[in-house]
């Protein structure tokens, strides 16, 4: 039966009870589509009672969403639109605080950013608190409970990467500047700007309606950029406080400008530093060269031994737990509007490279990788100095895919490197932090609710992608809170995360606020799990 014909046969009172509309789950395979019709027994009072009914039917017809003619959401979005410039000014105020968690010189600034958030959240009407940890503090806030409705927990971070190298910034990293529609500052997109979209959407609901259709909790940490070491213990000690049905994280990216995305998979990470020590001081290379092992030479050989010419990592057992991409995933990646020539042009590189047998998107999102992140040893000043260095070192990391265990990688790395250390050299391997990758099921009702909200905020349906970066706490949220995790990124991949001239589109900042505002209504309509 034609769905529109069936609706036409309903009594007007039943049609009037349609609360939200029809949600089309485009990610299901084939032409079979599951339609969820959201009804309420109290029209106009969506938080009191509703049921969810489901049908599966085959059709190639376009289904148009039905929306109530009057909705609290329309008032919320109008408020967000009217306060666009003020919201941007608030973001700039937060961006001026140099909350670099990796550098102890910025410790007071990191705390200052946390206090700014507590004050701001309190000012807009939330119960907010600053909670101490052995490291940088955690900011927690929440709206009142809504009986019978799901609970959403927003996670974000207020700490940022170091701004180095400073001489490559077009404007100072902690003096926000808008150029050609983009806001430039350290933390603009990672993660102060994206995190603040959810704060501003909550503010918009409270300012217009006095309440939200569900309870929203906010957990904002100050150590994400250094591995979230203390957040994991905080989470395990506060399970009841943080209990929720879904976790919302905006620390990823859209697929491309005008192509919003929901990220269903993340790579993990294993990060190391290696120190090689030779003679007790730097030596004259002419006098001692050939008689004493050069730590810098040895370092180059060790780092090169980790990967072969085909892009395959040589650590024993490294690929044992790597699940191959499914035929469906490879096809979905291939169908995305990815222009490799444009990708190379934006990066100013002549060619791409990586593990043989995989496309650029597959290598970036769903294959493990190895990269040297920093290297030092010997003379670094201007001109020539014929020195044989006494020490050399490097920082390097592996991006891991789901099922790979960072601890297993560490054991295999030692097994590979230790026999390669030459005579006269001692090696110290430091294991900084690690986190496994994760891939989430596409069948979650909260995922469908997020897709509708993004369409409302951005004007187009999101695609489903993986991401090559890591958010270490995601696995912990999923495991300890038993909650679905929604990775909803508003940024772009060329926003220069962790690099000079980090930026965030002011339009995407605003669209993210609108999508977040719609998200609270959309999630509220999901039956509490």
């Amino acid at each position: 039966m034609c769905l529109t014909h069936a609706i036409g046969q309903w009594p007007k009172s039943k049609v009037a009870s349609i609360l939200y509309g029809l949600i089309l789950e485009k990610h299901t395979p084939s032409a079979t589509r599951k339609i969820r019709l959201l009804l309420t027994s109290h029209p106009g009072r969506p938080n009191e009672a509703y049921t969810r009914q489901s049908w599966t039917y085959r059709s190639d017809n376009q289904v148009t969403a039905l929306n109530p003619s009057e909705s609290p959401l329309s008032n919320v979005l109008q408020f967000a639109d009217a306060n666009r410039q003020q919201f941007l000014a608030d973001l700039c105020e937060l961006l001026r605080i140099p909350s670099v968690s990796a550098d102890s010189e910025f410790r007071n600034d990191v705390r200052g950013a946390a206090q700014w958030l507590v004050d701001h959240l309190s000012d807009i009407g939330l119960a907010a608190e600053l909670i101490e940890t052995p490291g940088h503090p955690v900011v927690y806030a929440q709206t009142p409970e809504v009986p019978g409705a799901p609970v959403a927990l927003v996670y974000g971070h207020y700490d940022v990467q170091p701004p180095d190298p400073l001489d490559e910034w077009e404007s100072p990293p902690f003096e926000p500047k808008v150029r050609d529609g983009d806001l430039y500052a350290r933390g603009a997109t990672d993660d102060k700007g994206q995190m603040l979209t959810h704060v501003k959407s909550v503010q918009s609901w409270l300012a217009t309606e006095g309440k939200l259709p569900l309870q929203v909790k906010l957990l904002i940490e100050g150590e994400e950029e250094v591995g979230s070491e203390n957040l994991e213990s905080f989470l395990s000690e506060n399970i009841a406080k943080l209990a929720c049905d879904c976790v919302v994280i905006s620390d990823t990216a859209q697929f491309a400008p005008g192509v919003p995305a929901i990220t269903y998979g993340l790579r993990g990470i294993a990060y190391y530093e290696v120190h090689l020590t030779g003679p007790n001081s730097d030596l004259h290379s002419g006098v001692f060269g050939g008689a004493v092992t050069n730590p810098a030479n040895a370092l180059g050989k060790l780092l090169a031994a980790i990967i072969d010419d085909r892009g395959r990592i040589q650590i024993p057992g490294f690929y044992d737990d790597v699940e191959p991409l499914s035929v469906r995933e490879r096809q979905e990646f291939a169908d995305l509007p990815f222009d490799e020539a444009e990708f190379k042009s934006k990066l100013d590189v002549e060619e791409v490279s990586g593990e043989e047998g995989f496309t650029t998107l597959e290598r970036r999102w769903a294959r493990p990788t190895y990269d040297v992140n920093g290297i030092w040893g010997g003379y670094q000043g201007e001109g020539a100095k014929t020195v044989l260095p006494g020490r050399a070192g490097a920082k390097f990391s592996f991006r891991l895919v789901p099922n790979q265990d960072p601890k297993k990688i560490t054991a295999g790395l030692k097994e590979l490197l230790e026999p390669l250390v030459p005579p006269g050299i001692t090696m110290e391997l430091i294991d900084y932090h690690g986190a496994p990758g994760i891939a989430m099921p596409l069948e979650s009702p909260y995922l469908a609710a997020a897709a509708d909200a993004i369409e409302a905020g951005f004007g187009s349906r999101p695609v489903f992608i993986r991401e090559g970066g890591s958010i270490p706490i995601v696995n912990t949220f999923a495991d300890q809170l038993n909650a679905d995790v929604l990775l909803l990124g508003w940024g772009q991949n060329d926003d220069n995360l962790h690099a000079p001239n980090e930026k965030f589109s002011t339009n995407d900042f605003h669209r993210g606020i609108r999508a977040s505002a719609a998200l609270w209504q959309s999630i509220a309509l999901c039956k509490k799990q």
Side-chain angles (χ1 to χ4, degrees), residues 258-292:
V259 186
I262 294 176
T263 302
Y264 72 93
L266 293 168
R267 290 195 294 187
I269 190 171
Y271 196 103
Y272 305 91
E273 182 172 330
V274 62
H275 294 175
L276 297 187
T277 302
N280 57 13
S281 67
D282 290 353
L283 303 176
H284 191 294
S285 65
V287 176
F288 294 95
V292 178

Side-chain angles (χ1 to χ4, degrees), residues 16 26 72 156 183 193 195 287 319 353 439 442 459 500 519 524 527:
K26 292 186 177 179
L183 177 62
M195 172 270 293
V287 176
Y319 293 97
S353 65
L442 295 174
L519 182 66
K527 186 173 182 179

Side-chain angles (χ1 to χ4, degrees), residues 58 77 93 111 206 218 264 275 288 383 422 439 445 458 461 466-467 517:
R58 301 184 68 86
L77 296 180
E93 187 175 331
R111 188 175 190 85
L206 294 175
L218 297 103
Y264 72 93
H275 294 175
F288 294 95
F458 282 78
R461 197 77 177 171
R466 288 199 190 191
E467 180 56 67

Side-chain angles (χ1 to χ4, degrees), residues 100-123:
V100 180
S101 56
D103 191 335
S104 60
E105 291 186 7
F106 293 91
R107 186 172 188 84
N108 290 338
D109 295 302
V110 176
R111 188 175 190 85
Q115 190 61 55
W116 186 96
L117 281 167
V118 170
D119 294 341
H120 191 73
L121 290 164
S122 299
D123 289 343

Side-chain angles (χ1 to χ4, degrees), residues 455-526:
E455 187 170 15
F458 282 78
S460 57
R461 197 77 177 171
V463 296
F464 291 87
I465 65 173
R466 288 199 190 191
E467 180 56 67
S470 306
I471 306 177
I473 202 66
V474 168
N475 301 72
T476 308
F477 280 130
D479 294 340
Q480 295 202 27
L481 297 182
N482 192 28
D484 291 349
V485 181
L486 306 177
L487 298 172
L488 315 178
W490 316 138
Q492 299 293 341
N493 282 313
D494 65 352
D495 278 344
N496 298 322
L497 282 75
H498 297 199
N501 301 306
E502 180 179 348
K503 63 182 177 63
F504 189 24
S505 164
T506 58
N507 286 333
D508 285 339
F509 175 59
H510 184 61
R511 284 189 281 254
I513 295 171
R514 290 175 59 88
S516 177
L519 182 66
W520 309 138
Q521 176 169 289
S522 192
I523 291 177
L525 296 169
C526 294

Side-chain angles (χ1 to χ4, degrees), residues 209-230:
E209 302 301 313
K211 60 181 181 180
L212 277 76
L214 79 171
Q215 185 179 37
V216 174
K217 301 176 180 180
L218 297 103
L219 177 64
I220 308 169
E221 68 154 319
E223 297 181 325
E224 193 275 345
E225 300 292 5
V226 290
S228 300
E229 180 178 354
N230 291 296

Side-chain angles (χ1 to χ4, degrees), residues 224-307:
E224 193 275 345
E225 300 292 5
V226 290
S228 300
E229 180 178 354
N230 291 296
L231 186 65
E232 190 161 335
S233 59
F234 174 83
L235 180 58
S236 63
E237 295 167 2
N238 291 274
I239 296 295
K241 185 185 190 78
L242 302 174
C244 61
D245 297 280
C246 63
V247 179
V248 178
I249 302 175
S250 292
D251 197 12
T252 51
Q254 301 177 60
F255 178 71
V259 186
I262 294 176
T263 302
Y264 72 93
L266 293 168
R267 290 195 294 187
I269 190 171
Y271 196 103
Y272 305 91
E273 182 172 330
V274 62
H275 294 175
L276 297 187
T277 302
N280 57 13
S281 67
D282 290 353
L283 303 176
H284 191 294
S285 65
V287 176
F288 294 95
V292 178
T293 303
N294 186 319
N297 291 359
L299 178 65
K301 291 181 179 180
L302 288 182
L303 296 176
I306 295 175
I307 193 166

